[in-house]
Amino acid sequence: MSGKRSLIRSGTTVDQMVRAIGDRIVTGVLVPGEKLDEVSLAARFEVSRTPVREALGQLSAMGLVERRPNRGAIVAVVTQEHLTSMFESMAELEGICARFCAERMSGSERRALETEHQASARLVRLGAEEDYEYFNTEFHSRLYRGAHSTHIQELTAMTRSRLAPFRRAQFRLAGRLAKSWQEHDAIVTAILRGDGTAAGTAAKNHVSIVSEASAVFAVGERPKAASLAMPFTAS
Amino acid sequence: MSGKRSLIRSGTTVDQMVRAIGDRIVTGVLVPGEKLDEVSLAARFEVSRTPVREALGQLSAMGLVERRPNRGAIVAVVTQEHLTSMFESMAELEGICARFCAERMSGSERRALETEHQASARLVRLGAEEDYEYFNTEFHSRLYRGAHSTHIQELTAMTRSRLAPFRRAQFRLAGRLAKSWQEHDAIVTAILRGDGTAAGTAAKNHVSIVSEASAVFAVGERPKAASLAMPFTAS
DNA sequence: AAGGCAGAAAGTGTATGCAATTGCCTTTCA
DNA sequence: TGAAAGGCAATTGCATACACTTTCTGCCTT
């Protein structure tokens, strides 16, 4: 294989692998406990085992995959206890971000937050779950950025990505959209008011509620490595 | 090289490399900005480049080294802004840990914390900086464990290790030991009282003060890659 | 003399091969 | 018939080889 990397985009191959495999874990294509075979992955992405191994190493450091020495890698399987701990941490982290936002956001950041938030009200009325989910992600990212603290941002993003597999199903719950919007509203209002304490508390509560909604999906479902037989869809 | 790995202990080679290189970064043997040459490291540890590369990848994911595509790896160099952000995060994280400790520590944990803390008073009177530093590390670890939240523990430990290179010089400051002990005392008292809010505040202040003490060492010292010529001491 | 370009050297990125460990299956003995 | 031991297949871990990118050096041009 001396030719250019065919379908995978630019950047280093390993980086692409990390994103590709990580995405599939985060989006639930690869389920916790599923075996990650090096040769299969290498064949699937049309690269050699070396970049695959390096990618798995990085994903392991990120906590998304678990590596047993000499026994291969599996998608990280989290215990109920650890899951609770992660949600709890997420609540605290988002609380901190919201508090910092209330104290530090620039005028334009506040305006953008308010504008986007108000725009999303329409999605709630329409019941556009897909679109609202996209907005929701953007809303939270805005909160992380608005904290003006690169490290908090890193920690929050990391925790969020590790929680992603367990948060997907939450919007199926009836009335979730409206409730989510109201919670967002409380956060936005407090931030615009410059009330860090209230913003922090509101953000913490927001995550806590999501946590409860997601907890049910945590344990119980641990499919065997059935879906690996059919490699995931083309990138 | 078919023989057993000689000096490095058990476990996978990559893991040993991660620890070995990571230690040298954390302890300041390798200074920020220093070039990490793969072949030199491989030769130094008597392994091939493959495990070195994997170790660098993991260290990069941990944030201890910075990897420029096609341009080698260097010990992560943090900007003043990022350093401030990390200390700020550390303060928040320790605050959370202390708050959780006040709410969740078991009886034996509280007793152990109190006992060790009181024992350390002796070290302050003697001015035993080395021994106090060791105790100090243990004290903080106790706080992280006592929070009973594995993920918070991870985040805290990670942030702490990334801050380690910048925290070493703090105890040189006059009267630092006594002040540190008093701050610890405020934390311990609040925890034993079960006052989560007070414990959190006290822990946050504690880190903030350390932060200020360390900030001076942040920028200004950026030695060129001089010490790499002489490989670090035998492990 | 200064700037830029060409070629070589150094170093990283990826592929492949070999050794070693693991897990499973078969065989054998109680 | 069950269990334990040994061998075999599969997979991981590490080493080496090759390809490509970057950078340094020296020469040529202006």
Side-chain angles (χ1 to χ4, degrees), chain A residues 13-14 48-51 71:
Chain A
T13 307
V14 173
S48 80
R49 279 177 48 222
T50 309
R71 295 182 49 202

Side-chain angles (χ1 to χ4, degrees), chain B residues 115-128:
Chain B
T115 304
E116 290 296 315
H117 170 61
Q118 292 301 343
S120 75
R122 194 174 135 271
L123 302 175
V124 177
R125 280 197 304 275
L126 297 173

Side-chain angles (χ1 to χ4, degrees), chain B residues 35-38 49 53 67 69-70 72:
Chain B
K35 202 162 174 303
L36 295 172
D37 183 24
E38 293 179 4
R49 277 178 51 219
R53 281 183 60 79
R67 245 185 163 183
N70 284 316

Side-chain angles (χ1 to χ4, degrees), chain A residues 24-47:
Chain A
R24 280 165 177 75
I25 294 173
V26 165
T27 57
V29 178
L30 297 171
V31 297
E34 188 163 328
K35 200 161 177 303
L36 295 172
D37 183 24
E38 294 180 4
V39 290
S40 305
L41 289 171
R44 169 66 191 79
F45 288 101
E46 297 183 316
V47 295

Side-chain angles (χ1 to χ4, degrees), chain B residues 23 28 33 42 61 64 66 74 76 113 120 123 126 147 151 154 164 166 172 174 197 200:
Chain B
D23 275 356
L64 280 176
E66 196 175 325
I74 59 173
L113 183 73
S120 75
L123 302 175
L126 297 173
H151 191 68
E154 279 175 42
F166 304 97
R172 307 286 157 73
T197 308

Side-chain angles (χ1 to χ4, degrees), chain A residues 12 14 50-51 54 58, chain B residues 14 17-18 21 37-39 41-42 47-60 65 67-68 70 72-73:
Chain A
T12 70
V14 173
T50 309
E54 245 178 276
Q58 295 203 25
Chain B
V14 173
M17 298 287 304
V18 170
I21 301 176
D37 183 24
E38 293 179 4
V39 289
L41 288 171
V47 296
S48 79
R49 277 178 51 219
T50 309
V52 173
R53 281 183 60 79
E54 238 175 287
L56 288 177
Q58 296 203 24
L59 289 165
S60 169
V65 321
R67 245 185 163 183
R68 293 99 33 101
N70 284 316

Side-chain angles (χ1 to χ4, degrees), chain A residues 76-87:
Chain A
V77 50
V78 298
T79 65
Q80 175 66 55
E81 180 197 350
H82 194 211
L83 185 70
T84 304
S85 169
M86 284 198 290
F87 269 116

Side-chain angles (χ1 to χ4, degrees), chain B residues 29 31 36 40 43 46 60 75-76 78 89 113 118-119 128 138 141 150 168 170 183-184 188 203-204 211 214 224:
Chain B
V29 178
V31 298
L36 295 172
S40 306
E46 297 181 318
S60 169
V75 178
V78 297
S89 308
L113 183 73
Q118 292 301 343
E138 185 57 35
S141 299
T150 51
R168 281 173 302 115
Q170 58 163 301
E183 290 161 15
H184 284 192
V188 171
K204 254 170 78 172
S211 161
S214 305
K224 295 294 175 216

